[in-house]
Amino acid sequence: MASKSVAVETPRPWRAAIAWMALVLGPGFFLVYGLCNELTALRNEIGSFFFDWERRIPVLPWTIVPYWSLDVFYAFSVLLCRDRLELDRHALRIVTAVLLSAGGFLLFPLRFGFPRPEVDGLFGPLFEALHGFDRPFNQAPSLHISLGLILWYLYAKNTRGPWRWLLHGWFVLIGLSTLTTWQHHVIDLPAGALVGAIAFWLFPDPRPETVGKTVAYRPLGGDRLAGRYLAGALLGLALAVQGGYWLLFLWPSLALGAVAVAYAGVGPTIFRKRGGRLALAASWALAPYLIGQALVWRGYRQRMALPFGEVSPGVFVGARLDRREALVFAAAHPRRLVLDLTGDFTEAASLREGDYVNLQWLDWTEPSPAILRDAAAYIEMALQQEKTVFVHCALGYARSARAVAHWLVVTGRARSLEEAIEQVRAVRPGIVVTSKRLACTPARGFA
């Protein structure tokens, strides 16, 4: 008789969930939020940041209901978590959002810019309760928005069908209610969304490896670039503390600070790239840096005659391809391996569909012996399987050139690294690989 396997459902962490809410998330929120209000009230001059047209946003008394409803979603959210990992990550996102927002409230204090109207009738008591607890401070970033995103994500994972669409609509109302109850100005909303994105970026859900293989390597020799990015971050912070529109520099300051940490030793894991795609939260949190990178890439690509060249039969080396170029390459080479050496770009969808390997190596850093060994092994294995190989970095001038040159040497296709580099240079004339860099490259062997 054939035996049947029965899946055993892991019991939900009820006790841990109640402990998180009763001991940390509940009292912690009220303590931190209230303390920020009290400390800000002691300051003499508190500015405001709003646009004149915001005075024409109507007060809609009924929207106090979705506004207050976030508290209910907040209280019961921990009970939805299926296991301890999900619970802890959810709770840590909330803690992160509260603490980052508190830092914003205290370092860049703002108040609501014009008097709030008196609301009578059915919804009047709800407004009175809100104003009794919440002073006109704690504006940017909007904690209502950041917590709303965190809660929205969790509840959406646990609803299906029409209920899910109803949930989406309700959370949109919660977001809009921050304006129609005159609790926040417009600038507070994207600031709150950024805090939410940072919380997801720091504590992401584990993502299964559904496409290819991903390995991130810690950088070597990135200290100088780390210092430059740190200087940029400090400059942005110095501008942000001037207040007003200068506050907008806080976002690039945070992004450059994170990149400085990556080059200082943490590596490309800060971009949360898996299966060839950057995590959405990382894309938002690091958007100023990523937009800059994309503009630089586009500028160089427009001046580039050909994006890749064939350095050896079946082995192409070059730059990251755009969507159209990737479709053409994929159609021309259905049996292929794409070896992506970038950690801060999303790979074109058509190139992720075949065999895809992402060995993440920060630009302008030295390669570790491991990444050169692994790259060479993947190239040789693919060739033995009669596949075309495309090795690329962002522009095809440094990382991909060194990886392919190393493969040429260790497989005997070149007698020295200098000869290998010249072979690559013949098809990629713009490569930037100096003799100093070659001296750091291991000469032979897969192991």
Side-chain angles (χ1 to χ4, degrees):
M1 183 187 303
S3 61
K4 295 183 179 180
S5 60
V6 179
V8 179
E9 185 177 352
T10 305
R12 292 178 184 258
W14 303 112
R15 293 182 179 178
I18 294 171
W20 262 116
M21 183 56 66
L23 301 178
V24 180
L25 302 181
F29 170 80
F30 287 104
L31 176 64
V32 172
Y33 194 85
L35 184 60
C36 289
N37 260 325
E38 295 300 325
L39 292 175
T40 304
L42 297 175
R43 305 176 76 156
N44 293 326
E45 295 183 6
I46 306 298
S48 299
F49 191 113
F50 64 92
F51 305 99
D52 286 338
W53 53 262
E54 291 185 49
R55 297 178 184 274
R56 297 193 292 273
I57 296 177
V59 175
L60 302 178
W62 64 269
T63 57
I64 193 66
V65 175
Y67 187 91
W68 268 114
S69 71
L70 190 71
D71 291 52
V72 179
F73 284 108
Y74 183 89
F76 288 97
S77 64
V78 291
L79 301 179
L80 293 178
C81 299
R82 295 185 178 90
D83 53 46
R84 187 60 188 267
L85 177 62
E86 185 179 32
L87 171 64
D88 290 345
R89 287 179 182 268
H90 172 66
L92 289 171
R93 288 169 192 153
I94 291 176
V95 171
T96 299
V98 171
L99 293 180
L100 287 177
S101 298
F105 299 154
L106 297 176
L107 292 175
F108 309 100
L110 295 170
R111 67 178 299 148
F112 196 77
F114 34 91
R116 291 164 172 163
E118 295 291 333
V119 178
D120 299 320
L122 177 62
F123 303 107
L126 292 175
F127 275 90
E128 290 179 9
L130 177 60
H131 295 160
F133 163 72
D134 194 8
R135 299 191 182 192
F137 308 122
N138 291 359
Q139 291 291 292
S142 170
L143 194 50
H144 224 71
I145 294 297
S146 54
L147 292 180
L149 290 175
I150 294 169
L151 298 174
W152 188 355
Y153 172 76
L154 180 63
Y155 278 89
K157 285 202 306 183
N158 288 274
T159 52
R160 296 291 183 270
W163 287 107
R164 193 174 195 182
W165 289 107
L166 181 62
L167 179 83
H168 291 334
W170 190 259
F171 269 93
V172 170
L173 275 179
I174 291 174
L176 294 175
S177 72
T178 61
L179 299 176
T180 57
T181 56
W182 280 20
Q183 282 296 113
H184 283 280
H185 290 301
V186 170
I187 194 65
D188 307 339
L189 276 61
L194 175 59
V195 168
I198 292 173
F200 279 106
W201 169 57
L202 292 176
F203 300 102
D205 280 344
R207 288 196 293 169
E209 192 84 65
T210 56
V211 176
K213 180 180 177 60
T214 301
V215 182
Y217 300 85
R218 298 188 67 178
L220 300 176
D223 293 345
R224 178 175 296 181
L225 277 171
R228 292 177 180 177
Y229 281 117
L230 179 60
L234 293 176
L235 175 61
L237 182 61
L239 294 172
V241 298
Q242 305 304 313
Y245 285 99
W246 294 105
L247 285 171
L248 298 176
F249 280 92
L250 191 59
W251 190 2
S253 174
L254 292 172
L256 292 178
V259 176
V261 170
Y263 275 94
V266 170
T269 55
I270 69 161
F271 300 105
R272 304 287 191 237
K273 183 176 177 180
R274 299 286 290 177
R277 300 179 63 182
L278 300 185
L280 179 61
S283 298
W284 275 100
L286 305 176
Y289 168 80
L290 295 173
I291 291 172
Q293 285 283 84
L295 291 175
V296 170
W297 173 81
R298 179 60 63 185
Y300 274 99
R301 283 299 321 274
Q302 288 177 347
R303 301 193 299 268
M304 193 179 292
L306 293 173
F308 57 82
E310 191 172 14
V311 71
S312 183
V315 178
F316 295 85
V317 58
R320 171 178 172 266
L321 305 182
D322 63 24
R323 185 180 64 86
R324 182 185 58 82
E325 293 166 340
L327 285 170
V328 172
F329 187 90
H333 305 283
R335 281 182 52 81
R336 65 185 179 276
L337 167 71
V338 175
L339 186 56
D340 175 7
L341 301 180
T342 70
D344 50 359
F345 285 97
T346 290
E347 182 65 282
S350 56
L351 296 184
R352 300 196 308 265
E353 292 172 356
D355 288 344
Y356 172 79
V357 175
N358 182 205
L359 305 182
Q360 298 176 11
W361 170 5
L362 283 178
D363 201 6
W364 295 107
T365 62
E366 297 303 323
S368 67
I371 192 171
L372 294 176
R373 177 195 65 219
D374 294 346
Y378 278 114
I379 295 171
E380 190 64 21
M381 186 185 309
L383 287 178
Q384 291 176 5
Q385 296 170 354
E386 299 182 347
K387 295 177 181 176
T388 300
V389 180
F390 177 43
V391 184
H392 77 84
C393 50
L395 296 171
Y397 289 150
R399 288 170 289 180
S400 57
R402 295 183 74 179
V404 170
H406 181 76
W407 165 75
L408 288 170
V409 173
V410 299
T411 58
R413 291 173 171 86
R415 289 171 293 182
S416 66
L417 282 171
E418 289 78 7
E419 180 182 315
I421 287 296
E422 290 308 312
Q423 289 185 37
V424 178
R425 198 185 305 277
V427 296
R428 296 290 294 163
I431 63 172
V432 285
V433 181
T434 64
S435 57
K436 179 181 178 181
R437 287 192 164 197
L438 284 178
C440 302
T441 305
R444 290 190 175 274
F446 287 102

